[in-house]
């Protein structure tokens, strides 16, 4: 069984939950995120999860996502029919609505007036789903099928110029369906509609808070480690690789709360970190009372990278070397039973099979430095396995981690090495580190650090002629990249104010030896990626 289907008891205990059945929509994850924003725990499960597995979770409600298929097509995703008579409130969104209509005796057909994009719905009754909202609502539609005939017990509750069935309900059985997407930002009152369903109609308690998560997670980790050490007669020691990023930091802090000094944190300094990063990490953890073993492996990594210019080779070398260094350190520590990892929910969902197997072309090999060699003999503790990134940040803050760590922009495992185009040398690392520091410093000073997804410098192999004082220079070209993004899957270049760009440029050429020219990267993803390598 795929692990992604197993509810974590430390998460699920005592909190109400909503199961979202993934019928293949690109927005399925977003539905779960929106429900969690209401402080109700939500889990995304494959559409064909047996009803017995769903019911075992005692969900307060089930939401069926949209999807690209048509319910009348052979082979289209259909949930376990027992769902419809399980007595749990259900909200069907788009394809989910069609599933509900079809399964309960209605009819769904291909629609001659397909609706894609913004639409206005008119609420036609006093349905609880729209309680507190104006009768006219802007919504986001994306459908080519529509209901032709409603099942018995249902009434239409909202319409558009194109369909009388923009929303339908059978309040007695607490079955609701909407043709539009409440989860996307283009449906401005989608949040209230979801709230009406989850909280008012289904009665879910809003108890999914960082504090509750921490309490149950710490308790869960402690009992698991204690049980293991009782059963095996070991100390139950836990190892954690701290990368400097928010995920491993939050995971380590949670585990430390649970098992105290049985947690051993190791930070491999591969020399590709940003300025002062290792020091910041050490100090932040010292303040929390968590000692960190810092392994200075800079020379070792640099030697391996000598003469290497190919991006994928760099990634492989760093990933493999990281594992070796980590294994060497682990071997010095004696008996270790567990390894903590900062795996997040989107990774778990990714690895669970969905309706359409992703056969995406490999763009680049990601290495989560701080990541795990697959054949290590530790048991895994993944306390963030059911959290989205914004929830990890909220938990980090609640745990008392400093903002500088909790709000940190994402940073790739191979670090600065993939922001140096061409060979990585100690000197070029120093140049990039200084330039990068200035970018971050100015972005922070302008109050933009949290509104951009990532902002950084790239050291290119290009050299160009310049003039400084009265002399000719032939110096390095530094590129600056700042992007806005929701999830790094797509990104746009950030429209930074000219004054900020001007300050960044002038400081880099003045303060970083050997750099005489700065350019700003104005490419979006796609077709460019965020990192240059
Ligand atoms: P790209 O460059 O593919 O990056 O648009 C998407 C996001 O992933 C980050 N990234 C990585 N993160 N290990 C990581 O942990 C890696 O090897 C890696 N490569 C890219 C990148 O910074 C961006 O946020």
């Amino acid at each position: 069984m795929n692990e992604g289907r197993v509810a974590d008891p430390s998460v699920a205990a005592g909190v109400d939950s909503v199961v979202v059945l993934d019928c293949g929509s690109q927005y399925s994850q977003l539905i779960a995120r929106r429900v969690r924003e209401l402080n109700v725990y939500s889990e995304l499960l494959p559409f064909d999860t047996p009803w017995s597995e769903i019911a075992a979770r005692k969900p307060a409600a089930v939401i069926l996502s949209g999807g690209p298929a048509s319910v009348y097509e052979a082979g289209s995703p259909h949930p376990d029919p027992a769902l419809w008579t399980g007595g749990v409130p259900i909200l069907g969104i788009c394809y989910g609505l069609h599933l509900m209509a079809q399964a309960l005796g209605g009819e769904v057909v291909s629609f001659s007036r397909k609706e894609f994009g913004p639409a206005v719905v008119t609420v036609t009754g006093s349905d609880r789903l729209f309680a507190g909202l104006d009768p006219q609502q802007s919504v986001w539609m994306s459908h080519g099928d529509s209901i032709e005939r409603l099942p018995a017990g249902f009434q239409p509750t909202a319409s558009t110029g194109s369909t009388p069935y923009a929303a339908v309900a059978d309040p007695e059985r607490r079955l609701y369906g909407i043709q539009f997407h409440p989860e996307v930002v283009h449906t401005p009152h989608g949040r209230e509609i979801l709230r009406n369903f989850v909280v008012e109609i289904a009665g879910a308690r809003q108890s999914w808070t960082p504090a509750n998560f921490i309490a149950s997670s710490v308790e869960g980790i402690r009992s698991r480690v204690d049980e293991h050490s009782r059963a095996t007669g070991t100390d139950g020691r836990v190892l954690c690789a701290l990368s400097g990023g928010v995920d491993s930091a939050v995971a380590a802090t949670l585990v430390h709360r649970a098992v105290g000094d049985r947690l051993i944190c190791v930070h491999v300094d591969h020399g590709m970190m940003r300025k002062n990063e290792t020091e910041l990490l050490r100090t932040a953890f010292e303040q929390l009372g968590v000692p960190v073993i810092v392994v200075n492996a800079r020379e070792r990594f640099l030697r391996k990278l000598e003469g290497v210019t190919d991006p994928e080779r760099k990634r492989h070398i760093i990933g493999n070397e990281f594992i070796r260094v980590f294994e060497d350190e682990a071997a010095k520590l004696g008996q270790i039973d567990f390894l903590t990892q900062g795996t997040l929910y989107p990774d778990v969902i990714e690895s669970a099979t969905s309706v359409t197997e992703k056969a995406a072309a490999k763009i680049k090999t990601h290495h989560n430095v701080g990541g795990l060699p697959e054949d290590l003999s530790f048991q895994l503790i993944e306390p963030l396995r059911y959290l989205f990134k914004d929830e990890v940040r909220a938990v980090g803050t609640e745990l008392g981690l400093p903002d500088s760590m909790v709000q940190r922009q994402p940073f790739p495992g191979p670090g600065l090495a993939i922001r140096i185009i061409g060979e990585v040398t100690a000197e070029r690392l120093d140049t990039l580190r200084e330039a990068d520091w200035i970018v971050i410093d100015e972005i922070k000073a302008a109050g933009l650090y949290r509104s951009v997804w990532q902002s950084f410098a790239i050291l290119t192999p290009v050299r160009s002629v310049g003039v400084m004082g009265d002399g000719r220079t032939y110096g390095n070209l530094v590129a600056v990249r700042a992007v806005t993004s929701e999830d790094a899957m797509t990104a746009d270049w950030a429209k930074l104010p000219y004054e900020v760009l001007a300050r960044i440029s002038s400081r880099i050429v003045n303060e970083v030896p050997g750099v005489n020219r700065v350019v700003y990267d104005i490419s979006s993803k796609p077709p460019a990626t965020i990192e240059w390598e």
Side-chain angles (χ1 to χ4, degrees), residues 255-264 290:
V255 175
H256 187 257
R257 282 227 179 154
V259 303
D261 59 13
R262 282 185 286 168
L263 171 73
I264 299 158
V290 185

Side-chain angles (χ1 to χ4, degrees), residues 144-158:
D145 290 342
S146 189
I147 295 177
E148 175 78 2
R149 184 167 40 83
L150 274 180
F154 278 80
Q155 310 128 27
T157 57

Side-chain angles (χ1 to χ4, degrees), residues 119-124 130 133-139 159 189:
V120 174
V121 297
T122 304
V123 180
T124 48
F130 298 101
L133 296 179
D134 289 344
Q136 301 269 317
Q137 287 296 316
S138 299
V139 299
S159 64
H189 293 288

Side-chain angles (χ1 to χ4, degrees), residues 261-273:
D261 59 13
R262 282 185 286 168
L263 171 73
I264 299 158
C265 290
V266 173
H267 170 68
V268 175
D269 178 5
H270 54 17
M272 319 289 151
M273 305 293 283

Side-chain angles (χ1 to χ4, degrees), residues 413-437:
L416 298 182
I418 55 164
R419 294 176 180 173
I420 291 178
I421 314 307
E423 190 184 358
V424 180
T425 63
E427 192 194 349
R428 301 189 82 207
L429 275 167
D430 283 344
T431 305
L432 178 59
R433 229 188 304 272
E434 288 307 312
D436 186 71
W437 172 259

Side-chain angles (χ1 to χ4, degrees), residues 315 364-368 410 412-414 453-454 488 525 529-531:
R315 286 172 173 275
K364 30 183 113 160
T365 314
H366 276 217
H367 283 295
N368 290 321
W453 173 267
Q454 272 171 301
K525 172 183 180 177
T529 52
I530 295 176
E531 306 291 346

